[in-house]
Amino acid sequence: MTNTAAPPERFNFARHLLELNAGRAQKTALIDDQGSITYGQLADQVQRFSGALSALGLRREERVLLLMHDSSDWVVAFLGALHAGVVPVAVNTLLTAQDYAYMLANSRAHAVLVSAALLPTLRTALAANPNEVRHLIVSRATEALPQGAHDFASLVAQSAPAPAADTHGDEPAFWLYSSGSTGAPKGTVHTQANLYWTAELYGKAVLGLREDDLVFSAAKLFFAYGLGNALSFPLSVGASVVLMAERPTPQACFKRFVDLKPTVFYGAPTGYGGMLASPDLPKKSDVALRLCSSAGEALPQDIGQRWTNHFGVEIIDGIGSTEMLHVFLSNRPGDVRYGTTGKPVPGYEIELRGEDGSPVPDGEIGDLYIKGPSAALMYWNNRDKSRDTFQGGWTKAGDKYTRDADGYCTYAGRNDDMLKVSGIYVSPFEVEATLVQHPAVLEAAVIGKQDADGLTKTKAFVVLKAGSQATEAELQAFVKEKLAPYKYPRFIEFLPELPKTATGKIQRFRLREKESGAA
């Protein structure tokens, strides 16, 4: 366990950050697409927005939907709500009006904070779902606002600073919606103290973030991973942050690598693979990276090694979840074993359990359970799924893992993705990670497919790199050379792209649906 001190019982995370950085008023805190603000300006705007919410009649624990592109306004809105004891519900900016209508109804949000570019989609959601929304606050509008709406910057400037709400550390502070890849999105309720714990246990103790760092996250702020990367972690050490509204294409990331020279970069395996495949990949001498991080899905060994070979920088691969807020199992700087997800983050415990609920021995696949101080309270209005996921002090991850004799854990797939071939568990990820080592393969996804005898075999969907070619037989032979014979994909289908969630995770269930429809 860790020696990190617990926060006081009465704890407000926004106030905590402002107090930590009181001596850095002139230092740059945030750099976005329109400019930068200092820590002093951030503190002023957070306290003013907190006052604005109170002046608008928002009360403690009432929800406000936060549908905004990454910018300094996002950070001010989120921290201002925490400061006021109002609960921001941060949602994915890449969803549909139907998704937002569901989230508005589910959260019963009384106000919406929205980027101007997302306003048309939001208005469709509001029209389709009359609800309790009383206030609409628009960030960075370039055209006339809807009647009765507030301009974010004007609202902040015109409001008086307010003192922080005297919140409890265990008080509901913010929500994040799960990706909804297996059903309706679940409103995951987190506390004021959860942000503190992830910053202390992972941002500081494992990643070793420093005050002189400039951090840049491809994962957006609405994503649990991005929220730690670009808000709670850097602001807890007085670092500076690069925020980017646009999607994190390789070119968009490269521009910031070269122009702004971030020292820490957070990405996901798909993004790292895409950057390595790009002809525009910058030279090592053009960037200032000292540390890179990956989460969202397990990082293939080949991608990690090629990135390190090119830039001379480790990728610290870890696994986190919306339910645990950030990474709880990770490699460490100076102790990276590519192909594994490392060891438990100090302050967290893990267990790998078999189908009977008892721990499995090293080397065997088991269901991953986590115990740690950043676990969510519940899923909103969803008792059955809350009870299934949050079991006493343990949280069920929904992932399968193995652990070796040295304590390093290796991803084996999602529970609902695992395959039994010839009576033996096969990890789709293991086969995928092998396929992407082939020089022609950009991405791969593996599912189960019944053969003519009704037996389950592995089928791979493969995306080739631009200009590359490979045959089914060639890829099958490649896998046979590296894995046990029963694991090689009996069927291979080439696709132009793989179906993914808005946060970049491969949706294997879509491929299973495709296969079922084809049959």
Side-chain angles (χ1 to χ4, degrees), residues 287-303:
V287 306
L289 297 172
R290 72 169 187 86
L291 181 72
C292 293
S293 164
S294 180
E297 286 193 305
L299 179 74
Q301 180 178 0
D302 177 64
I303 289 178

Side-chain angles (χ1 to χ4, degrees), residues 11 103 125 196 247 289 291 453 496:
F11 182 74
M103 293 170 177
Y196 168 87
R247 297 188 71 166
L289 297 172
L291 181 72
D453 297 320

Side-chain angles (χ1 to χ4, degrees), residues 115 229 305 324 378:
S115 291
N229 298 345
Q305 289 174 337
M324 294 302 295
M378 62 179 170

Side-chain angles (χ1 to χ4, degrees), residues 1 8 17 35 70 82 94 113 141 181 185 188 194 212 232 254-255 258 305 328 372-373 392 397 478 498 512:
M1 292 297 289
L17 285 187
D70 282 18
L82 295 188
L94 302 173
L113 300 150
S181 59
T188 310
N194 284 359
D212 62 349
S232 57
F254 297 159
K255 177 175 174 55
V258 173
Q305 289 174 337
F328 50 79
F478 183 80
L498 298 177
R512 289 193 289 269

Side-chain angles (χ1 to χ4, degrees), residues 351-361 364-369 391 396 399-401 403 415 425:
E351 282 188 0
L352 302 181
R353 302 179 186 174
E355 293 180 1
D356 62 356
S358 59
V360 300
E364 291 191 14
I365 293 174
D367 294 321
L368 176 63
Y369 286 76
Q391 301 179 9
K396 183 171 72 174
D399 297 289
K400 287 187 182 291
Y401 264 82
R403 179 173 46 216
N415 287 359
Y425 270 126

Side-chain angles (χ1 to χ4, degrees), residues 6 21 100 109 148 160 184 200 238 290 294 334 354 356 408 482 490:
N21 294 299
Y100 300 134
E200 294 294 317
R290 72 169 187 86
S294 180
D356 62 356
Y408 292 86
K482 298 179 179 293
R490 304 305 203 279

Side-chain angles (χ1 to χ4, degrees), residues 91-396:
V91 299
N92 191 326
T93 59
L94 302 173
L95 302 180
T96 66
Q98 183 178 359
D99 293 318
Y100 300 134
Y102 170 81
M103 293 170 177
L104 285 165
N106 181 251
S107 66
R108 299 200 306 275
H110 288 303
V112 181
L113 300 150
V114 62
S115 291
L118 298 167
L119 189 55
T121 305
L122 174 68
R123 294 181 76 174
T124 302
L126 291 170
N129 183 58
N131 52 51
E132 302 177 49
V133 172
R134 305 195 306 264
H135 302 289
L136 179 62
I137 304 170
V138 183
S139 168
R140 302 190 176 177
T142 57
E143 299 178 1
L145 296 178
Q147 185 175 1
H150 302 274
D151 175 72
F152 183 87
S154 299
L155 186 65
V156 170
Q158 295 166 6
S159 299
D166 182 27
T167 50
H168 193 288
D170 291 337
E171 191 170 310
F174 64 100
W175 297 13
L176 300 171
Y177 273 97
S178 68
S179 64
S181 59
T182 56
K186 299 181 290 292
T188 310
V189 182
H190 278 284
T191 70
Q192 291 277 351
N194 284 359
L195 290 158
Y196 168 87
W197 282 117
T198 56
E200 294 294 317
L201 299 178
Y202 193 64
K204 293 182 182 179
V206 173
L207 294 182
L209 292 186
R210 309 188 305 237
E211 183 178 3
D212 62 349
D213 276 321
L214 176 62
V215 309
F216 171 42
S217 175
K220 299 301 184 180
L221 287 163
F222 64 75
F223 189 28
Y225 178 49
L227 182 63
N229 298 345
L231 195 156
S232 57
F233 291 6
L235 300 188
S236 290
V237 298
S240 302
V241 183
V242 174
L243 298 169
M244 179 176 74
E246 65 187 294
R247 297 188 71 166
T249 62
Q251 286 68 33
C253 292
F254 297 159
K255 177 175 174 55
R256 286 154 182 86
F257 284 0
V258 173
D259 292 352
L260 298 176
K261 298 288 195 294
T263 58
V264 178
F265 174 69
Y266 305 86
T270 300
Y272 283 111
M275 285 190 279
L276 285 169
S278 171
D280 301 321
L281 185 69
K283 300 191 297 287
K284 176 184 178 182
S285 58
D286 291 334
V287 306
L289 297 172
R290 72 169 187 86
L291 181 72
C292 293
S293 164
S294 180
E297 286 193 305
L299 179 74
Q301 180 178 0
D302 177 64
I303 289 178
Q305 289 174 337
R306 286 195 289 129
W307 186 270
T308 298
N309 290 341
H310 183 84
F311 286 114
V313 176
E314 296 173 319
I315 299 179
I316 311 302
D317 184 34
I319 182 176
S321 67
T322 304
E323 291 76 11
M324 294 302 295
L325 188 56
H326 212 276
V327 170
F328 50 79
L329 179 64
S330 180
N331 285 272
R332 288 160 176 71
D335 183 22
V336 170
R337 190 173 292 190
Y338 285 132
T340 80
T341 318
K343 299 178 179 180
V345 170
Y348 293 85
E349 300 175 53
I350 70 160
E351 282 188 0
L352 302 181
R353 302 179 186 174
E355 293 180 1
D356 62 356
S358 59
V360 300
D362 288 347
E364 291 191 14
I365 293 174
D367 294 321
L368 176 63
Y369 286 76
I370 317 102
K371 181 186 287 185
S374 62
L377 293 173
M378 62 179 170
Y379 298 128
W380 181 257
N381 286 353
N382 200 329
R383 177 175 282 197
D384 286 345
K385 289 190 176 179
S386 292
R387 284 178 166 175
D388 183 55
T389 298
F390 305 106
Q391 301 179 9
W394 293 93
T395 300
K396 183 171 72 174

